[in-house]
């Protein structure tokens, strides 16, 4: 899961019919340097700028790990998707569509799904892309000690490999699997390369649109187009130079001078990018920020204190001060308009500081009695807004920065923190991550709201194309929002600044898809 505090920033179609098979059409420097074995057509790993169209992408999410199992389903999956392909990917409507799998089908009961892989595919090390590779990827994600994905795969009991057919037996009826097993959760590496996860981390080997030819850990990756990618005809970029982004304030100047031609940017930089003659691409996303509360610790073990915090939060202030016109207030882990957003739950805890004061008084707290440490990994203007808003109702907040914040957060040892998620392609995965008893974003684990488990089970049991799917899903959101562990504040899309010679990208929510993208005029 992404640990970024400030997000930078759909009705699926799988049918569970007896013999009906979904066949959706495919979407038409120095000592640290590690040289990576490339395809024979890729030469000796020379700089990508040697010829052809080159994408010069500077990223705030430069991968700290190139093993997708370790990297997990956080925001860096977009960068890893240059190298790795998945069973499915997401289209502009948020639906799961074919990637390495050309089709899939459920059994009658809904507790088994078979993915049919494309024939003739291979990883960049020459190993075949087959069902055995899928089986190895799932089992590694479930069992590898440092896997960040095992919690996302609890519905999978086992995988049987039969040539190009990967048969997945489930622990429960779960029609979310095609949404789940996309680029975020199951980027598939060569089983041969993955036998040594440590080596894979340094030498990524996938079946995606590009192949790494040079890697400077934490700093730079050079890639070339993969001629064996299944949709190579629609990849028009020859080379990629991916670098770790410098300070946000210097990115726009780097784009102006041609050091980069593509970059994710803060909302604060959007106007400067436009004035510099750059395109600002607004990528839809599932981002949402929240206050995380631990109800297993005082003072949040008192429901009245939790409700007081809920009413003390002015969401619009976050929008006005942090999103520069690109965000919106939300009290849910989804932006408004998304299929899982529940209109019936809107403004359940509206901004009402006087009511917050009254609740604190009822709980026996005078102004100044409650003193909280808000622990975050780095300076964040969100924290100052929270500090100011809670001070207005008599709660004193001290901001404490701990660069190792993630350890106590995910161990559920903190009392009060902030979090921002980039969301998930499966709405159920987003819900369980926030509200489930083992959810990584549930600071109050093993607590879960009453009725949530049953509501989520019903969503899993509902085919994605069922007429009542949307209402069933929103009911699960409603049940999750009974949780006292999270107070949501605002959502914001992902913003990308690019040179005008890079054509528009598909607006696949939260994803960066290079299908059909061109770079005109050379570099």
């Amino acid at each position: 899961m992404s640990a970024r505090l400030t997000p930078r920033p759909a009705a699926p179609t799988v049918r569970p019919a007896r013999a009906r098979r979904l066949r959706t059409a495919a979407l038409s420097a120095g000592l640290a340097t590690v040289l990576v074995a490339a395809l024979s057509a890729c030469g000796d790993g020379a700089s990508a700028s040697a010829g052809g169209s080159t994408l010069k992408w500077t990223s705030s999410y430069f991968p700290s790990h190139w093993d997708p199992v370790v990297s997990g389903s956080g925001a860096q999956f977009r960068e890893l998707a240059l190298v790795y392909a998945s069973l499915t990917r997401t289209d502009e409507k948020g639906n799961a569509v074919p990637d390495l799998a050309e089709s899939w089908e459920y059994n009658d009961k809904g507790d088994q799904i078979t993915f049919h892989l494309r024939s003739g595919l291979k990883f960049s090390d020459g190993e075949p892309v087959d069902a055995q590779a899928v089986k190895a990827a799932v089992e590694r994600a479930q069992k590898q000690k440092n896997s960040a994905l095992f919690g996302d795969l609890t519905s999978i009991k086992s995988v049987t490999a039969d040539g190009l057919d990967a048969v997945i037996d489930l622990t429960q009826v779960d029609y979310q699997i095609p949404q789940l097993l996309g680029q975020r959760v199951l980027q598939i590496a060569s089983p041969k390369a993955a036998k040594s996860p440590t080596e894979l981390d340094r030498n990524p080997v996938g079946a995606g649109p590009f192949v790494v030819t040079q890697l400077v850990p934490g700093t730079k990756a050079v890639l070339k187009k993969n001629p064996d990618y299944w949709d190579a005809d629609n990849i028009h970029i020859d080379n990629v130079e991916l670098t770790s982004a410098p300070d946000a304030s210097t990115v726009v100047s780097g784009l102006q001078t041609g050091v980069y031609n593509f970059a994710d940017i803060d909302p604060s930089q959007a106007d400067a990018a436009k004035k510099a003659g750059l395109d600002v691409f607004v990528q839809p996303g599932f981002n949402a920020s929240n206050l995380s509360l631990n109800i297993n610790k005082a003072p949040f073990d008192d429901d009245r204190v939790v409700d007081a915090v809920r009413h003390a939060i002015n969401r619009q202030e976050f929008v006005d001060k942090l999103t520069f016109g690109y965000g919106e207030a939300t009290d849910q882990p989804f932006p408004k308009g998304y299929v899982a957003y529940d209109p019936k739950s809107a403004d359940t805890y509206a901004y009402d500081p006087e009511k917050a004061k009254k609740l604190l008084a009822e709980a026996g707290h005078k102004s100044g009695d409650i003193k909280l440490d808000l622990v975050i990994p780095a300076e964040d203007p969100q924290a100052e807004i929270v500090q100011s808003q809670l001070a207005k109702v008599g709660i004193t907040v001290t901001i404490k920065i701990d660069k190792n914040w993630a350890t106590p957060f995910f161990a559920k040892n903190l009392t009060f923190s902030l979090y921002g998620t980039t969301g998930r392609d499966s709405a159920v995965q987003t819900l369980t991550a926030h509200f489930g008893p083992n959810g990584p974003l549930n600071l109050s684990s093993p607590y879960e709201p009453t009725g949530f488990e049953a509501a989520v089970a019903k969503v899993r049991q509902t085919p994605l194309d069922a007429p009542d799917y949307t209402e069933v899903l929103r009911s699960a959101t409603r049940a999750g929002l009974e949780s006292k562990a999270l107070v949501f504040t605002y959502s914001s899309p992902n913003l990308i600044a690019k040179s005008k010679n890079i054509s528009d990208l598909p607006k696949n929510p939260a994803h960066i898809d290079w299908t059909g993208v061109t770079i005109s005029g050379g570099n």
Side-chain angles (χ1 to χ4, degrees), residues 451-482:
F452 178 70
E453 182 178 6
V456 167
K458 188 173 182 181
V459 180
R460 295 187 192 277
Q461 294 161 10
T462 305
L464 302 179
D465 59 351
D468 61 342
Y469 175 75
T470 297
E471 181 50 42
V472 170
L473 177 58
R474 290 177 178 176
S475 293
T477 299
R478 203 172 309 137
L481 291 173
E482 293 297 320

Side-chain angles (χ1 to χ4, degrees), residues 190-471:
S190 162
K192 180 180 178 180
K195 285 181 179 179
S196 173
T198 301
E199 183 64 17
L200 181 69
D201 217 4
R202 296 192 297 259
N203 301 275
V205 181
F210 299 95
V211 178
V212 174
T213 61
Q214 187 183 55
L215 177 61
V216 182
T219 302
K220 181 178 180 180
V222 179
L223 307 93
K224 284 192 175 183
K225 178 179 174 178
N226 180 4
D228 293 320
Y229 176 56
W230 73 266
D231 199 20
D233 287 348
N234 289 311
I235 299 298
H236 307 304
I237 297 171
D238 298 306
N239 310 294
V240 179
E241 294 178 354
L242 178 68
T243 56
S244 179
D247 183 82
S249 63
T250 68
V251 170
V252 171
S253 61
L255 288 162
Q256 282 182 289
T257 58
V259 176
Y260 325 115
N261 55 18
F262 190 89
D264 55 276
I265 59 172
D266 285 321
S268 62
Q269 298 295 311
D271 284 346
K274 290 179 179 179
K275 289 176 181 177
L278 301 165
D279 281 339
V280 174
F281 174 71
V282 180
Q283 181 197 43
F286 310 129
N287 304 326
S289 292
N290 66 64
L291 281 65
S292 294
L293 316 181
N294 192 335
I295 69 164
N296 301 311
K297 296 178 180 291
F300 299 125
D301 54 352
D302 187 323
D303 290 354
R304 292 167 295 187
V305 175
V306 172
D307 287 347
V309 171
R310 286 167 157 170
H311 285 296
I313 296 303
N314 179 1
R315 295 173 175 83
Q316 191 59 43
E317 184 177 356
F318 290 84
V319 175
D320 294 342
K321 292 183 176 179
L322 302 179
T323 73
F324 293 80
Y326 289 96
E328 62 182 10
T330 186
D331 50 8
Q332 305 183 27
F334 310 107
K336 294 176 182 176
Y338 180 53
V339 63
Y341 181 88
D342 179 43
K344 294 180 181 179
S345 298
D347 294 325
T348 301
Y349 294 93
Y351 177 52
D352 190 341
E354 293 306 314
K355 186 171 184 178
K357 292 177 184 178
K358 183 178 179 181
L359 286 165
L360 291 173
E362 291 175 359
H365 298 289
K366 297 178 182 178
S367 180
D369 280 356
I370 297 178
K371 294 178 173 59
L372 298 171
D373 288 339
L374 179 59
V375 183
I376 56 176
E379 289 186 9
D380 191 327
Q382 287 186 82
E384 295 174 4
I385 294 174
V386 171
Q387 183 184 53
S388 172
Q389 291 185 0
L390 293 188
K392 293 176 181 178
V393 300
I395 297 176
T396 301
V397 173
T398 300
I399 300 170
K400 291 195 172 180
I401 295 176
D402 178 2
K403 65 179 181 179
N404 298 315
W405 151 95
T407 299
F409 182 93
F410 291 114
K412 320 300 182 183
N413 289 331
L414 296 181
T415 299
F416 189 33
S417 190
L418 299 177
Y419 203 95
T421 177
T422 55
R424 298 295 175 264
D425 298 319
S426 164
V428 166
Q429 187 190 12
T430 298
L431 289 172
T432 56
H434 285 88
F435 307 125
N438 299 309
L441 307 187
N442 178 6
L443 190 57
S444 296
S445 293
Y447 158 77
E448 71 174 330
T450 302
F452 178 70
E453 182 178 6
V456 167
K458 188 173 182 181
V459 180
R460 295 187 192 277
Q461 294 161 10
T462 305
L464 302 179
D465 59 351
D468 61 342
Y469 175 75
T470 297
E471 181 50 42

